[in-house]
Amino acid sequence: MDLVNKFLNGLRAALSTDELEELNTACGATKEDIDTLRSEYPNCPESLICLLENIDGTYWRKYGENKIAVCILGSDVEEGKYPYYLLSTQQMLESSKEEEDISYLLEYQDDEEAVDPKINSEGFLLGTYIRFSDCMNNGGSSRLYIDFNPSDEGEYGQIIRFLHDLDQYEVIANSFDEYLQDLIDGGYIFLENEEE
C-alpha cells in the first residue's frame, strides 16, 4: 500500500542510526495472526494490516534473539512531540479484549474536554475498537484506538487518543489513513523528543 510505504520510508529516514538498526531486526506479522485480526475485526483498516505485515510491533517485541523498543508513532500530545510504540498483532488482540468504561468521565459533562462528543457515551464495547498503540511511558499515560462504534457526530474508524491525568479521550483523526498522513505531514516530529 502506497501510504504505508511512504510512511515507512519517511520513518526510516527520520530515525536515529541506533533506532533504525533496532527496527531493521523486526519482521511482519504471521499470516495466521493477520487472519485472526481480520476475523475478529473484519473492518480493520487495510493500512494497519499493511503496517503490521511490515512490522509486527515495536513495544518490547521480541524478534528471534532481539527485543526491540522503538517508538514509530505519535499523536497530538505535547504538540505532536510525544512518541508511541506500535503494538504487535497479538498485543492488539489481547489489549482489546475488555470493555473500557468512560462513564466516570461523562459524569463531568461540564468539562467538555474530558470526552470528545464524537465518541460513543457507552464507552469502548467489546469488539468495537482496536487498541493499536501505547505511548513511550509504557502505555500508562496515553493510548491510541481505532473506534468502530462512534457517536452520531463521529466517523466509523476514527482514531481516539486517551491521555491520563487529565483523563481525556479525544478524536485525533477520522481514519487510520488520515492518521498516518498526519504523521507524514508533521515531519515525524514525535521522534525529536526521544530519549537516547
Side-chain angles (χ1 to χ4, degrees):
M1 174 176 255
D2 288 347
L3 175 62
V4 173
N5 290 333
K6 185 178 176 185
F7 170 76
L8 290 174
N9 289 336
L11 174 73
R12 289 188 171 102
L15 286 169
S16 72
T17 305
D18 289 345
E19 290 166 330
L20 182 58
E21 196 174 296
E22 203 174 334
L23 188 65
N24 283 340
T25 67
C27 60
T30 65
K31 182 180 184 311
E32 181 181 36
D33 283 349
I34 293 290
D35 288 347
T36 302
L37 186 66
R38 276 195 164 119
S39 171
E40 293 199 25
Y41 299 95
N43 295 314
C44 182
E46 279 305 309
S47 47
L48 176 59
I49 297 288
C50 186
L51 185 58
L52 290 167
E53 287 173 339
N54 283 275
I55 301 169
D56 190 27
T58 64
Y59 184 51
W60 303 108
R61 175 73 163 88
K62 195 166 186 184
Y63 292 98
E65 295 301 310
N66 301 312
K67 184 180 274 191
I68 72 168
V70 182
C71 291
I72 66 167
L73 299 173
S75 81
D76 62 326
V77 175
E78 295 180 7
E79 298 176 350
K81 295 180 182 177
Y82 197 51
Y84 291 71
Y85 299 103
L86 172 67
L87 298 183
S88 71
T89 310
Q90 284 294 328
Q91 288 168 329
M92 287 181 200
L93 290 165
E94 190 61 35
S95 66
S96 302
K97 277 186 175 177
E98 297 178 8
E99 293 185 5
E100 295 209 19
D101 184 15
I102 61 171
S103 62
Y104 70 101
L105 291 175
L106 292 168
E107 292 173 18
Y108 306 103
Q109 280 297 345
D110 54 329
D111 179 7
E112 293 177 11
E113 295 187 6
V115 179
D116 192 314
K118 296 176 182 175
I119 298 170
N120 195 316
S121 61
E122 294 177 330
F124 300 166
L125 304 176
L126 194 60
T128 67
Y129 72 95
I130 299 173
R131 178 172 155 191
F132 69 92
S133 182
D134 284 353
C135 72
M136 67 180 292
N137 188 22
N138 292 325
S141 296
S142 189
R143 299 183 288 270
L144 301 175
Y145 305 85
I146 300 172
D147 178 22
F148 302 117
N149 188 31
S151 74
D152 291 342
E153 297 178 44
E155 297 282 335
Y156 188 86
Q158 65 193 5
I159 306 303
I160 295 172
R161 184 260 306 135
F162 165 75
L163 180 64
H164 175 59
D165 200 15
L166 306 165
D167 278 13
Q168 179 190 68
Y169 289 88
E170 185 166 331
V171 174
I172 60 168
N174 289 325
S175 67
F176 193 76
D177 285 16
E178 182 180 297
Y179 167 72
L180 286 182
Q181 189 63 55
D182 288 346
L183 297 180
I184 294 167
D185 294 345
Y188 304 88
I189 193 171
F190 54 89
L191 296 175
E192 293 179 10
N193 253 9
E194 281 247 65
E195 297 173 14
E196 296 296 320

